[in-house]
Amino acid sequence: MKQVGKLQSIFRHPVKAMGGEQLTSCQVDAFGLYGDRGYYFLDESRNGKYLSADVVPAMLGYTATFVGEAMDQQYPEVKVAAKDGSWHAWGESLFSHVAETAKRAVQPGRSTPQEGGRNWEDHILLVTDASLREIARLIGEQQIDPRRFRGNLVIVLDEDEPFTEDGWIGKQIKINDVTLQVNRHCERCMYVNIDPDTLEINPAVLKTCVKRHDNHFGVYTSVITPGKLAEGDTVFVSE
């Protein structure tokens, strides 16, 4: 294994398509970061597809966090802050608020730790600091918020080379006692255009990803060995 960098940031999204929480450490189970996207909404106007921010950008105006301890066979309860300042538990108040915001009928759902992320094609999304800086440079900004890209793990590379992560596809990554298999690029949509704080749209972000890197940014991984991650952990890649 070759050392390639350090784990800078960890982001978990308890409710799919909503803003999430930044963690200093997190358990990784067979399905990814524990509880990541464990709660979700289905869009009844789109034949039950997942409600997503590329269709309803206002979904990113919600911020979801876990509270309390996990109950047996369940993920912890979530609390959700809405853009209007209201707070909601997982229940009818939130469901009505989301339906009103989305202007469509929605169906809430939740997974259990035993089901985990079986609905997700890949478990954990990785992005690197060098690639973030490259996109920021090309759109004329000093920096770009990694939350635009919904990455679970942000890695600071030892060598400042944009899109180094492309070379990791097909290889394994080891962080502390966690082993991940790098599977494929992440193909981007208009999600990346949405400022996670203001919800303003900047089309230059997606256009730049398309022009600079064939609409790819970050890599998807699946879990081989569960364990625990923490900020500052060393990242190794198989040779």
Side-chain angles (χ1 to χ4, degrees):
M1 303 288 278
K2 176 185 177 183
Q3 178 178 327
V4 295
K6 298 281 189 182
L7 180 56
Q8 181 185 61
S9 304
I10 304 169
F11 294 97
R12 178 172 62 185
H13 309 100
V15 181
K16 184 174 172 64
M18 290 185 177
E21 53 190 349
Q22 185 170 357
L23 308 173
T24 57
S25 63
C26 187
Q27 192 69 29
V28 175
D29 63 19
F31 304 108
L33 300 190
Y34 177 74
D36 188 53
R37 295 169 293 175
Y39 294 72
Y40 54 87
F41 287 91
L42 301 179
D43 184 345
E44 294 186 356
S45 70
R46 299 176 65 231
N47 298 317
K49 292 182 179 180
Y50 290 109
L51 184 64
S52 60
D54 58 332
V55 175
V56 183
M59 288 298 293
L60 291 180
Y62 293 95
T63 301
T65 57
F66 281 124
V67 295
E69 297 295 325
M71 299 173 62
D72 185 34
Q73 313 249 330
Q74 291 186 7
Y75 287 127
E77 292 296 325
V78 295
K79 63 177 181 180
V80 176
K83 194 71 172 173
D84 62 12
S86 60
W87 286 85
H88 305 266
W90 187 257
E92 287 303 323
S93 171
L94 175 64
F95 305 158
S96 297
H97 201 288
V98 168
E100 183 177 348
T101 297
K103 295 180 173 55
R104 63 194 65 211
V106 297
Q107 178 64 46
R110 59 188 291 182
S111 301
T112 70
Q114 289 68 39
E115 296 168 331
R118 66 180 182 180
N119 295 318
W120 321 129
E121 185 173 356
D122 293 286
H123 300 152
I124 295 178
L125 178 59
L126 309 183
V127 301
T128 65
D129 65 327
S131 299
L132 288 165
R133 280 195 298 274
E134 175 70 355
I135 298 299
R137 180 186 69 82
L138 291 170
I139 64 173
E141 299 288 346
Q142 290 292 322
Q143 59 185 9
I144 191 166
D145 195 320
R147 292 179 297 162
R148 283 183 182 267
F149 297 90
R150 305 286 285 181
N152 296 115
L153 307 180
V154 181
I155 296 170
V156 175
L157 297 173
D158 292 340
E159 298 181 9
D160 187 15
E161 182 64 36
F163 304 110
T164 293
E165 59 271 24
D166 291 356
W168 301 346
I169 293 174
K171 298 182 179 181
Q172 293 184 4
I173 287 180
K174 188 168 179 61
I175 310 173
N176 196 11
D177 55 354
V178 174
T179 305
L180 306 174
Q181 176 70 39
V182 185
N183 297 323
R184 64 181 180 90
H185 293 107
C186 177
E187 187 169 340
R188 291 300 175 170
C189 66
M190 69 84 62
Y191 252 103
V192 301
N193 289 338
I194 308 170
D195 184 293
D197 292 321
T198 67
L199 304 187
E200 293 178 357
I201 306 294
N202 181 359
V205 180
L206 182 59
K207 289 178 180 178
T208 300
C209 289
V210 171
K211 184 175 181 179
R212 171 65 175 83
H213 204 55
D214 197 28
N215 200 30
H216 295 151
F217 193 95
V219 290
Y220 279 120
T221 70
S222 53
V223 178
I224 296 176
T225 307
K228 190 172 184 178
L229 303 172
E231 288 181 352
D233 282 347
T234 304
V235 179
F236 298 89
V237 175
S238 61
E239 298 189 73

